């Protein structure tokens, strides 16, 4: 089955819950699941869930982006 | 100066003469006064109480408003009329025959939808099921035929209809089956809370997007790239500093809260929103690699609808929908510059003709609106023909704009609703069904709508209208080409409408022997033609029959019998252009060209000059030959006389000088009533016959000399 990927934000610095910082991270919806990924393609979830981002390029309108981001936050909380 | 009065008290006008003079001069002034007795002013009448406002008149007033007519209006270029609650769904009753007839309808718009940025428009065109299929060549948007629009090949017209019985058996079965693929979404759906709409375009000049309260509902979204040319490396870029968020009701600026919710506090000063972009990964890093093609569409989610929690909360946890405002941006036609630089390649600029992006929202109260639960009830859609138009029928856009308005739709139907055909013989013991242009079929259809008759099940003896002569009268109407082709678009009393309209077809709608009945207004032959042969009256009455003192004769006023020109208003049905009302004038050839005009409005039902002219001739002949009316009483009549029958009266006039004579006149019964004390009262209009006993009125209509324009 073809993977459905919808990029929402790219090229930003993500700070995670454990204090780790990931450059050039991106946020996308893959098969309906909103998720942050680092440049290694690893999900940023759990202890490494993203708590703040900086200097992003947002690829979706603010209403759409924040909706998926909220869904991500709810899943991680 | 003194004034003296004679007598005591005021008893009428009192005059007094004054004279003044000044010493040493000849100045003398004489003044006459008339003083009238002064009565006290009449008491001020009490202010009448404010009349009570009638209830339930908003819908009635709207129904009567000319602007809400479903017939083509004079201003063909007007904007599409949108329906409001309570508006009447029209009845399209027509059948085109020999190049005459059919009906133009200008329906109101009840719902719009969109899917993949293709518009869909829903119009209730008629009660009942219309027989004709909708044709693009017979449909007009304003002054433009749909078949000749630039995108005509992609425009489709579809009828939807479901009977009351079918919906009663399956209330959740929406008759509007426009689109049935959940993945692609539906165009239009019955439920009020299943809808779709377009957001404004977001471009370099900025724009606004609005949150929608979808609490407890389902939604998905399509996004399209609007523009032209080569946009393969062109994107819309809006800095994050050109962005604000507001609560839609309070107007509170919550931009800071928005960015904090994203995870950026304080709000960012760097970064961009980049729209209509493509991305790719290089060395683990995501880059913008180009732009989307004009007209390309992205769906989110890729299939189905997203479920939303209830009650609605916005993304910041509040209860007010939010408004997102972008105040400007730029078109970047080398979007892949960073990507190419990382790869050691050069970037190629493409066109800057990107207008922006546009969202299309779909909302549903069901997870799958194509399969609503059994609790859904769409029975209000029963027995109505809906027309759906899919495609671009929007107004032609000005350069760089994407209009969302349409012009008033007008559509022609050769065959209207299917009705029981009482104008034709039964087949297999039941009346056939189909479109009709017979007034008698319309009358029976009224009673079917009132649930008083059904062509398949009601015995003739039980029908509210006597059916024994309907086939005969239908032949009479066919022979005279007096057909009904029109749109009934207002609430109307059935009896009143039939009584008022029957004369247009040279018929009369009467009540006889406990039932309604149609009778010809003129004598007719066995071949269902106007009879211009010698007549035999249905009954003859003499002085011996007339109860003493009951006879009365009233002559028509001179004003009512003056010469006039009949102006007949009827409606054209040229299927190549939208039918408009037009007039034909008829006058007796002996009538002056500047005689007064009297207008008769047949535009609801008449679609030929011949029909209108025939009615005009009858009116002129009636006015010419009918001089008086009578009423008299007799002992109870048991012969079954009914209105429209011709009777003869022979009365003796006895004079003191022996100049006795018998007066014989013929009359057409207007009204007949029977009282419980055994008296029948007859009211009748003068209906003169020629020396050969031919109806003067019928003869005038058939053989008279008229000037028609």
């Amino acid at each position: 089955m073809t993977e459905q990927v919808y990029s929402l934000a790219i090229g930003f610095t993500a700070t995670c819950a454990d204090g780790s910082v990931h450059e050039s991270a991106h946020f996308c919806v893959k098969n309906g699941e909103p998720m942050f990924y680092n440049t290694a393609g690893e999900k940023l979830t759990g202890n490494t869930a993203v708590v703040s981002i900086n200097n992003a390029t947002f690829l979706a309108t603010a209403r759409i982006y924040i909706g998926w981001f909220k869904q991500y936050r709810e899943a991680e909380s | 100066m003194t004034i003296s009065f004679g007598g005591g008290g005021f008893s009428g006008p009192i005059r007094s003469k004054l004279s003044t003079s000044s010493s040493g001069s000849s100045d003398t002034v004489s003044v006459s006064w008339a003083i009238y007795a002064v009565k006290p002013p009449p008491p001020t009448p009490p202010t009448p109480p404010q009349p009570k406002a009638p209830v339930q008149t908003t819908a009635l007033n709207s129904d009567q408003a000319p602007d809400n007519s479903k017939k083509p209006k004079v201003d063909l270029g007007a904007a599409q009329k949108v329906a409001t609650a309570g508006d009447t769904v029209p009845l399209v009753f027509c059948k085109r025959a020999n190049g005459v007839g059919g009906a133009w309808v200008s329906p109101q718009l009840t719902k719009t939808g969109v899917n993949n940025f293709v518009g869909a428009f829903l119009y209730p065109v008629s009660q009942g099921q219309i027989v004709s299929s909708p044709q693009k060549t017979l449909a007009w948007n304003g002054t433009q035929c749909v078949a000749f629009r630039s995108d005509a090949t992609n425009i489709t017209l579809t009828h939807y209809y479901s009977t009351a019985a079918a919906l009663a058996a399956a209330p959740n079965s929406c008759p509007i089956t426009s689109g049935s693929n959940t993945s692609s979404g539906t165009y239009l759906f019955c439920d009020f809370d299943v809808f779709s709409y377009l957001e404004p375009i977001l471009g370099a000049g900025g724009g606004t997007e609005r949150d929608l309260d979808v609490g407890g509902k389902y939604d998905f979204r399509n996004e399209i790239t609007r523009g032209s040319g080569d946009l393969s490396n062109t994107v819309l870029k809006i800095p994050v500093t050109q962005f604000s968020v507001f609560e839609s009701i309070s107007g509170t600026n919550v931009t800071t809260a928005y960015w904090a919710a994203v995870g950026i506090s304080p709000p960012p000063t760097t970064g961009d929103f980049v729209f209509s972009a493509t991305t790719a990964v290089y060395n683990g890093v995501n880059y913008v690699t180009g732009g989307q093609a004009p007209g390309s569409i992205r769906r989110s989610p890729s299939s189905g609808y997203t479920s939303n929690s209830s009650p609605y909360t916005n993304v910041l946890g509040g209860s007010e929908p939010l408004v997102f405002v972008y105040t400007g941006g730029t078109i970047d036609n080398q979007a892949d510059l960073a990507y190419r630089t990382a790869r050691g390649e050069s970037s190629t600029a493409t066109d800057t003709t990107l207008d922006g992006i546009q969202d299309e929202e779909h909302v549903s109260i069901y997870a799958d609106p194509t399969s609503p639960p059994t609790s859904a009830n769409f029975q209000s859609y029963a027995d109505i023909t809906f027309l759906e138009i899919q495609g671009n029928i929007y107004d032609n856009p000005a350069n760089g704009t994407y209009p969302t308005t349409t012009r008033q739709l007008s559509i022609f139907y050769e065959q209207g609703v299917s009705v029981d055909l009482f104008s034709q013989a039964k087949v297999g013991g039941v009346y056939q069904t189909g479109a009709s242009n017979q007034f008698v079929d319309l009358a029976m259809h009224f009673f079917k709508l009132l649930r008083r008759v059904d062509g398949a099940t009601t015995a003739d003896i039980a029908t509210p209208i006597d059916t024994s002569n309907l086939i005969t009268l239908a032949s009479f109407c066919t022979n005279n080409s007096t057909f009904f082709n029109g749109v009934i678009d207002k609430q109307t009393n059935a009896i009143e409408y039939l009584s008022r309209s029957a004369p247009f077809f040279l018929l009369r709608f009467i009540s006889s022997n406990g039932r309604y009945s149609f009778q010809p207004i003129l004598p007719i032959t066995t071949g269902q033609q106007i009879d211009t042969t010698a007549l035999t009256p249905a009954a003859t009455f003499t002085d011996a029959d007339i109860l003493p003192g009951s006879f009365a004769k009233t002559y028509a006023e001179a004003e009512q019998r003056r010469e006039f020109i009949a102006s007949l208003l009827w409606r054209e049905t040229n299927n190549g252009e939208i039918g408009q009302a037009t007039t034909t004038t008829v006058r007796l050839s002996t009538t002056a060209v500047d005689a007064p005009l009297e207008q008769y409005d047949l535009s609801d039902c008449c679609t030929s000059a011949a029909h209108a002219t025939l009615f005009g001739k009858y009116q002129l002949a009636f006015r010419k030959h009918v001089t008086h009316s009578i009423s008299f009483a007799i002992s109870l009549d048991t012969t079954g006389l009914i209105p429209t029958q011709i009777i003869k009266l022979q009365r003796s006039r006895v004079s003191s000088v022996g100049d006795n004579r018998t007066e014989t006149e013929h009359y057409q019964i207007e009204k007949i009533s029977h009282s419980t004390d055994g008296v029948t009262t007859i009211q009748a209009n003068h209906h003169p016959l020629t020396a050969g006993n031919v109806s003067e009125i019928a003869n005038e209509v058939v053989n008279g000399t008229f000037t028609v324009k």
Side-chain angles (χ1 to χ4, degrees):
Chain A
M1 181 175 111
T2 304
E3 190 175 62
Q4 302 288 336
V5 181
Y6 176 32
S7 290
L8 293 170
I10 62 173
F12 51 85
T13 304
T15 303
C16 300
D18 64 355
S20 59
V21 176
H22 300 261
E23 300 290 339
S24 299
H26 69 275
F27 181 49
C28 67
V29 179
K30 191 177 290 185
N31 293 325
E33 180 189 33
M35 189 55 65
F36 284 92
Y37 294 86
N38 59 19
T39 53
E42 299 167 330
K43 289 184 180 181
L44 298 177
T45 182
N47 290 336
T48 57
V50 173
V51 296
S52 69
I53 62 175
N54 195 21
N55 198 28
T57 293
F58 298 96
L59 299 175
T61 60
R63 176 165 68 100
I64 304 305
Y65 171 82
I66 190 66
W68 288 111
F69 188 82
K70 179 184 177 186
Q71 193 170 326
Y72 169 82
R73 282 285 186 84
E74 289 174 350
E76 295 299 328
S77 64
Chain B
M1 172 173 77
T2 60
I3 301 174
S4 63
F5 300 89
F10 294 119
S11 58
I14 300 171
R15 302 179 71 181
S16 172
K17 191 171 183 178
L18 295 174
S19 62
T20 61
S21 64
S22 58
S23 60
S25 74
S26 60
D27 293 332
T28 300
V29 177
S30 295
V31 177
S32 293
W33 289 41
I35 300 174
Y36 291 87
V38 177
K39 295 182 181 178
T44 303
T47 303
Q50 182 178 7
K52 294 179 182 178
V55 296
Q56 299 178 334
T57 56
T58 300
L60 183 62
N61 291 339
S62 173
D63 198 46
Q64 300 296 323
D67 199 37
N68 283 339
S69 172
K70 285 72 173 179
K71 297 188 265 292
K73 303 174 186 56
V74 174
D75 183 9
L76 297 176
Q80 172 66 50
K81 185 72 177 174
V82 179
T84 55
D87 282 345
T88 299
V89 177
L91 175 65
V92 179
F93 188 95
C94 63
K95 183 178 180 180
R96 191 171 179 82
N98 300 320
V100 175
W104 281 94
V105 190
S106 293
Q108 294 172 325
L109 180 67
T110 53
K111 194 166 189 177
T112 62
V114 61
N115 190 37
N116 288 328
F117 300 88
V118 175
F121 307 84
L122 189 69
Y123 314 83
V125 291
S126 182
Q127 302 178 36
Q129 185 173 23
I130 288 186
V131 174
S132 292
S133 296
Q135 303 293 327
K136 275 188 272 190
T137 52
L138 301 177
W140 290 66
N141 271 127
T143 57
Q144 186 176 23
C145 182
V146 171
F148 302 116
R149 293 188 66 96
S150 59
D151 199 31
T153 55
N154 295 319
I155 297 175
T156 60
L157 277 63
T158 310
H159 274 168
Y160 300 108
Y161 175 84
S162 189
T163 64
L167 276 170
N172 64 333
S173 175
C174 176
I176 300 168
T177 55
S178 166
S180 58
N181 186 328
T182 307
S183 295
S184 62
T186 58
Y187 284 92
L188 290 171
F189 195 72
C190 285
D191 205 291
F192 182 78
D193 288 319
V194 179
F195 57 92
S196 53
Y197 63 96
L198 292 174
E199 290 273 8
I201 292 179
L202 177 60
T208 303
E209 59 172 345
R210 295 178 182 274
D211 217 1
L212 187 68
D213 181 352
V214 289
K217 300 187 178 73
Y218 304 82
D219 71 312
F220 78 90
R221 192 187 84 263
N222 284 330
E223 177 186 282
I224 192 172
T225 295
R226 294 291 196 187
S228 60
D230 179 7
L231 304 180
S232 58
N233 202 16
T234 306
V235 298
L236 168 65
K237 189 178 289 186
I238 299 179
V240 295
T241 54
Q242 302 279 73
F243 167 74
S244 305
V245 187
F246 299 88
E247 291 181 331
S248 62
I249 299 175
S250 69
T252 304
N253 188 320
V254 292
T255 308
T256 301
Y258 172 88
W259 288 118
V262 171
I264 307 176
S265 183
T269 56
T270 58
D272 299 291
F273 290 94
V274 178
F275 302 120
S276 190
T278 59
T279 61
V281 177
Y282 176 69
N283 286 342
V285 178
N286 279 62
Y287 292 94
V288 172
T289 55
Q292 300 279 0
S296 59
I297 298 173
R298 280 77 61 189
R299 192 187 195 281
S300 176
S302 58
S303 65
Y305 287 72
T306 300
S307 173
N308 297 280
S309 59
S310 179
Y312 166 81
T313 55
N314 63 38
V315 292
L316 305 182
S319 61
E320 293 185 38
L322 301 176
V323 179
F324 305 84
V325 180
Y326 307 85
T327 53
T330 57
I331 302 299
D332 179 1
N333 64 339
Q334 282 189 273
D336 66 352
L337 186 59
Y339 174 68
R340 295 297 176 190
T341 301
R343 293 170 63 94
E345 299 168 347
S346 61
S347 171
T348 302
T350 53
D351 295 335
T352 58
T353 47
L354 171 64
D355 294 324
I357 59 167
Q358 186 173 30
D359 280 356
E360 171 189 291
E361 304 290 337
H362 292 252
V363 180
S364 170
I365 56 172
Y366 312 120
D368 179 5
T370 64
S371 181
T374 53
S375 58
N377 190 328
F378 304 128
Q379 291 187 72
S380 60
Y381 287 78
D383 200 32
I384 296 176
T385 298
F386 291 91
L387 169 68
E388 183 203 40
I389 298 180
Q390 283 187 22
N392 182 11
I393 60 169
Y394 292 112
D395 293 336
N396 293 322
N399 187 29
T401 66
Y402 296 90
T404 56
T405 55
T406 63
R407 298 297 102 191
Q408 176 63 50
L409 174 72
S410 296
I411 185 165
F412 181 76
Y413 290 106
E414 293 195 352
Q415 296 194 60
V417 295
S418 179
V419 300
D420 295 326
L421 298 176
F422 287 86
S423 57
Q424 299 177 14
K426 293 182 182 179
V427 175
V430 297
Y431 290 101
Q432 297 299 287
T433 59
S436 173
N437 52 19
Q438 294 290 349
F439 184 66
V440 296
D441 285 332
L442 174 66
M444 296 302 287
H445 188 62
F446 276 3
F447 282 94
K448 182 167 186 177
L449 294 176
L450 295 171
R451 297 189 177 279
R452 293 281 304 279
V453 71
D454 186 300
T457 57
T458 306
D460 288 334
I461 197 172
T463 56
I465 300 178
D466 181 7
T467 59
S468 62
N469 65 343
L470 294 186
I471 296 177
T472 298
L473 293 179
S475 296
F476 173 66
C477 288
T478 299
N479 290 339
N480 290 304
S481 299
T482 52
F483 300 117
F484 189 106
N485 287 279
V487 176
I488 300 171
D489 62 354
K490 295 178 177 52
Q491 300 175 48
T492 188
N493 177 282
I495 304 303
E496 182 184 311
Y497 187 92
L498 295 174
S499 299
R500 188 175 70 244
S501 303
F504 295 153
F505 306 89
L506 301 186
L507 300 175
R508 183 161 294 164
F509 187 60
I510 68 171
S511 176
S512 169
N513 298 322
R515 303 169 77 180
Y516 293 110
S517 167
F518 280 108
Q519 299 296 329
I521 210 169
L522 290 172
I524 65 174
T525 65
T526 54
Q528 291 86 48
Q529 300 282 3
I530 298 174
D531 193 350
T532 53
T533 63
L535 297 179
T536 300
T540 300
F541 299 99
T542 65
D543 290 315
D545 301 310
I546 300 172
L547 298 180
S550 68
F551 184 85
K553 181 187 252 186
T554 304
Y555 281 88
E557 295 179 6
E559 183 65 21
Q560 292 177 332
R561 298 204 59 237
R562 65 178 183 180
E563 288 185 334
F564 72 103
I565 300 173
S567 175
L568 299 314
L569 190 66
W570 55 281
R571 190 171 294 276
E572 296 176 329
T573 54
N574 178 349
N575 55 8
E577 56 188 44
I578 300 175
Q580 294 290 316
T582 187
T583 57
T584 295
T585 59
V586 184
R587 61 183 169 89
L588 291 165
S589 295
T590 54
T591 299
V593 295
D594 59 349
L597 272 173
E598 291 188 18
Q599 188 178 73
Y600 299 89
D601 186 358
L602 288 75
S603 61
D604 273 359
C605 60
C606 175
T607 56
S608 77
H611 178 178
T613 300
L614 182 64
F615 176 74
K617 289 180 179 178
Y618 169 76
Q619 292 294 325
L620 291 164
F622 183 93
R623 199 80 70 85
K624 175 181 176 181
H625 293 288
V626 175
T627 61
H628 62 277
S629 61
I630 62 171
S631 68
F632 61 93
I634 60 174
S635 300
L636 189 68
D637 171 72
T638 57
T639 63
L641 288 175
I642 60 172
T644 70
Q645 285 184 311
I646 306 297
I647 59 175
K648 183 166 76 172
L649 232 67
Q650 285 179 321
R651 302 188 68 225
S652 298
R653 193 183 76 171
V654 177
S655 74
S656 59
V657 297
D659 179 25
N660 302 335
R661 64 180 68 180
T662 299
E663 293 180 341
T664 301
E665 288 283 8
H666 290 81
Y667 297 88
Q668 183 176 43
I669 298 176
E670 182 72 20
K671 181 179 178 182
I672 183 166
S673 57
H674 311 281
S675 65
T676 55
D677 56 358
V679 172
T680 294
T681 302
I682 296 174
Q683 296 176 22
N685 287 325
H686 183 215
H687 195 95
L689 305 184
T690 65
N693 287 333
V694 174
S695 166
E696 288 275 18
I697 298 173
N699 188 53
E700 188 79 61
V701 171
V702 175
N703 300 314
T705 305
F706 298 87
T707 301
V708 180
K709 288 187 179 179

